[in-house]
Amino acid sequence: MPQLSRPAPAPATWAPGGQQRQPGRRLRRFWRARSLEEAPEQTLELEAEREQRGAAPAATPAWAGGSSSVVDEGFSSNSGSSNGTSGSAGAMERSHLLRMLSVPSASKPLSPAHARGGGAAGLPTLAEQGASLGGEAPPPEPSLVVFSGGTAFNSVAGHMRQLTTRIAHVLPVSDDGGSTAEIVRVLGGPAVGDIRSRCLRLADDSDEEARAVRQLLAHRLSSSDSRAAKLEWYSIVEGEGPLWEGISDAYRDIIRAYLVHFHANIQRHATKRFDYRGGSVGNFFFAGARIFFRSLEAAIFLFSRVARIPEGSLVLPAICTDEHITLGAELADGSLIVGQHQISHPSSTGSPREVDKTCDEELQAPIKRIFYLSAEGDTHEHEVAPAPNPRVLTELQRADAVIYGMGSLYTSIFPSLILRGVGECIAATNVPKIFLLNGALDRETSCCPTRGGPMTAADMVQAAADALNRRASKRTHRLAFPPSVYVSAVLVPAGSPVAVDTAALERLGVRQILEVPSVPAPDGRGVHFEPDGLVAAVATVIAAHRAAAQRAAAASNGWVGGSPAAAGLTRRNSI
């Protein structure tokens, strides 16, 4: 079974003046692309161009038996702030990424692999594209829609701002584990833990007060001692304690108002005895705001303003509801599992408050489908088909790219995809649709529904298409689009244990497969995408799509040279 080859070590190059420059400083590999059909002719052209510029020859391409690495100049690794801002000297220059999204000049030939939508091997480097632009202003920021859960994508969410601030993060409201479970048990309503987590990851931390607000809303109470957790909460809700230091009176009054409102509602349900252990102050603030406004979106808007999330960045619930909604999984043997935590991370005690992220126990059968259940019951008869958040459909209609983030496939990504209208909107758009492969197998993907063994990359793409088509739905109209309508590119973290069968992906119509640098997962379970490498790979896919769209539009308009405007091209019809 063919596999993606690992990138070869980047050679040292020589800077002007004869001083050796090592990889990882000004010369840094940010991604390696493997196109299914790489073109020797274009590689030779790029080699000649590099020699004319006095640059070191590129590594031998994969078709010649070597690595197909793409090495670009002008970047250095961003190991600065955790939210991905580019204030440090080592940050990736955002202008370079934006210039990369400019459509290459019509006079510059592109490889056949690029013309067919192949990988980055046929693309000019960032330095080449910047030179070809001749000082032109970079194009407008692309608008992205990201489907993800509240944990895995957090590691790269802030870094995506290096490419664009126009990102709509779509998250499910079905998480029923951890401290969220206690809020839902006592007060009802949708689960907001994933939304709160993403809002905090996108929050501003540029000054002392912003960092203090973020620290307060990210704080968790004691998880071991119920009495200690309650006393700590009483201190916080009274506006006392070190967590309030550095927060101005105006911010303090706003935040305290909704914490007090949450506390008052807890006291009204005193017979249920709320357990504060491990509780998130941000979740309490969120719940207080939602109850006050009687609107989940209003609570998100307030939280976004308090946390100073940048303009253009949106955090959208997949479903707009004020009711509790439960996720169910039907297995291949016909059995049913109720609750996200039971499907994905069950605990040994069975309590929803205890979530075991390291659970390796396999399911008794592969997952056949994911669906929603009403609060009234937990059988197939209680299946419901909630309407999607209208703003999600609106953002999809005007998106320049759709990204399926890494995370728990069935319980974090698919709950947003199975909603009515989502598959239709994605199928109707001619934009890059990028699937981010997980860097580890988990309980949900360790059993393949169509054959024995764990799921492969092709299995996961097919499962995503089935979810968008609502293939096994019993409450909504089913679609029949092929996987290539929903996924145009797959990004693979280097070293991922998930098998990548390029021939199987090609049969599904997915011909753009890029391997991205990775870093070891903090818990030692698999790998994670290297954030800057992922940003650059996403930029590569969008740039390739824009170039292909411009060539197609130019051919249909009879445009051979000149500017895109001369051929009637605008940003909207060139994507």
Side-chain angles (χ1 to χ4, degrees):
M1 181 162 46
Q3 295 290 325
L4 293 179
S5 61
R6 296 289 174 256
T13 60
W14 293 87
Q19 187 175 10
Q20 191 173 21
R21 184 169 57 198
Q22 294 294 334
R25 299 186 64 183
R26 294 195 59 191
L27 176 62
R28 177 172 173 89
R29 183 201 320 271
F30 265 87
W31 68 89
R32 185 190 62 77
R34 167 75 178 266
S35 171
L36 293 177
E37 301 177 78
E38 294 174 331
E41 299 83 4
Q42 178 64 15
T43 303
L44 294 175
E45 293 172 7
L46 293 177
E47 288 288 353
E49 291 176 11
R50 288 189 179 97
E51 290 177 3
Q52 290 174 3
R53 296 195 313 269
T60 306
W63 55 264
S67 169
S68 58
S69 300
V70 177
V71 180
D72 289 323
E73 298 184 79
F75 286 102
S76 57
S77 175
N78 179 12
S79 58
S81 61
S82 59
N83 67 353
T85 55
S86 55
S88 66
M92 239 191 330
E93 295 206 14
R94 195 157 166 266
S95 61
H96 285 190
L97 282 172
L98 291 175
R99 286 182 179 277
M100 183 178 181
L101 298 180
S102 295
V103 179
S105 170
S107 62
K108 185 177 181 69
L110 294 169
S111 70
H114 186 182
R116 286 188 293 269
L123 284 173
T125 65
L126 301 188
E128 290 170 334
Q129 292 200 43
S132 68
L133 289 172
E136 294 179 16
E141 294 181 351
S143 176
L144 310 181
V145 174
V146 177
F147 293 98
S148 68
T151 303
F153 196 81
N154 276 351
S155 62
V156 300
H159 291 262
M160 293 300 294
R161 292 207 294 264
Q162 295 170 128
L163 175 62
T164 179
T165 57
R166 301 175 59 208
I167 306 177
H169 298 266
V170 182
L171 295 109
V173 292
S174 49
D175 180 11
D176 58 355
S179 67
T180 300
E182 188 67 3
I183 298 175
V184 172
R185 181 185 71 83
V186 176
L187 299 179
V192 298
D194 287 349
I195 294 173
R196 182 266 314 163
S197 177
R198 182 58 46 81
C199 286
L200 284 176
R201 187 52 62 109
L202 298 174
D204 177 38
D205 63 355
S206 60
D207 59 51
E208 183 178 350
E209 182 171 51
R211 289 189 290 272
V213 170
R214 184 176 178 180
Q215 181 181 3
L216 170 66
L217 296 177
H219 181 71
R220 285 191 178 274
L221 306 177
S222 171
S223 59
S224 57
D225 188 331
S226 180
R227 178 174 174 77
K230 179 183 288 189
L231 292 176
E232 184 182 9
W233 165 246
Y234 285 173
S235 175
I236 291 172
V237 80
E238 289 293 334
E240 301 171 351
L243 285 173
W244 291 103
E245 293 178 5
I247 300 178
S248 64
D249 290 343
Y251 262 105
R252 182 189 299 255
D253 291 345
I254 292 173
I255 296 172
R256 272 201 66 218
Y258 295 100
L259 295 181
V260 168
H261 192 67
F262 167 80
H263 187 74
N265 278 271
I266 290 296
Q267 296 304 310
R268 293 191 187 102
H269 297 79
T271 55
K272 295 185 177 181
R273 296 188 62 83
F274 188 87
D275 187 352
Y276 291 96
R277 284 181 303 160
S280 163
V281 175
N283 282 351
F284 296 167
F285 175 86
F286 227 126
R290 180 191 60 79
I291 296 169
F292 179 82
F293 291 113
R294 298 182 181 178
S295 166
L296 177 58
E297 284 206 290
I300 295 173
F301 177 82
L302 174 67
F303 196 103
S304 299
R305 290 297 175 265
V306 170
R308 301 184 191 178
I309 293 178
E311 290 291 334
S313 296
L314 302 175
V315 179
L316 303 176
I319 303 169
C320 281
T321 178
D322 206 39
E323 303 296 327
H324 174 51
I325 195 163
T326 304
L327 203 62
E330 181 181 352
L331 305 186
D333 63 0
S335 58
L336 180 67
I337 302 179
V338 177
Q340 176 177 328
H341 75 286
Q342 288 290 355
I343 301 168
S344 186
H345 307 295
S347 67
S348 57
T349 64
S351 170
R353 284 187 59 87
E354 299 179 16
V355 176
D356 185 4
K357 294 283 187 178
T358 63
C359 177
D360 291 323
E361 180 184 353
E362 290 189 5
L363 293 165
Q364 64 188 56
I367 297 176
K368 178 181 179 181
R369 69 180 182 116
I370 287 288
F371 59 96
Y372 286 102
L373 293 163
S374 69
E376 282 74 29
D378 56 5
T379 66
H380 287 92
E381 289 72 25
H382 298 96
E383 180 178 347
V384 294
N389 182 350
R391 293 186 68 191
V392 172
L393 304 184
T394 299
E395 291 299 323
L396 282 172
Q397 291 167 0
R398 62 190 185 195
D400 298 330
V402 176
I403 297 177
Y404 308 102
M406 56 281 192
S408 299
L409 197 64
Y410 285 93
T411 56
S412 292
I413 314 301
F414 289 1
S416 301
L417 304 186
I418 62 176
L419 300 171
R420 296 192 311 267
V422 173
E424 289 86 339
C425 280
I426 295 177
T429 58
N430 180 25
V431 300
K433 299 157 188 180
I434 306 169
F435 189 95
L436 306 186
L437 195 67
N438 282 331
L441 292 164
D442 58 18
R443 175 177 161 91
E444 299 177 14
T445 56
S446 60
C447 299
C448 180
T450 58
R451 52 171 179 74
M455 296 177 71
T456 65
D459 295 328
M460 294 178 187
V461 169
Q462 181 64 63
D466 291 344
L468 287 160
N469 281 329
R470 304 185 292 277
R471 182 179 175 186
S473 174
K474 299 179 181 179
R475 293 288 187 271
T476 58
H477 172 68
R478 301 178 187 181
L479 306 176
F481 293 109
S484 58
V485 170
Y486 296 124
V487 178
S488 61
V490 174
L491 304 189
V492 182
S496 172
V498 180
V500 181
D501 186 341
T502 55
L505 286 169
E506 186 177 22
R507 288 193 292 271
L508 296 179
V510 181
R511 292 181 170 83
Q512 195 171 10
I513 309 167
L514 282 72
E515 187 177 76
V516 181
S518 65
V519 295
D523 60 2
R525 299 164 60 86
V527 296
H528 290 173
F529 283 104
E530 196 276 317
D532 289 343
L534 179 62
V535 173
V538 170
T540 298
V541 175
I542 298 176
H545 184 86
R546 287 184 172 181
Q550 176 171 329
R551 285 194 306 276
S556 64
N557 291 332
W559 171 53
V560 178
S563 67
L569 293 178
T570 64
R571 177 173 177 271
R572 289 304 306 164
N573 61 24
S574 67
I575 297 174

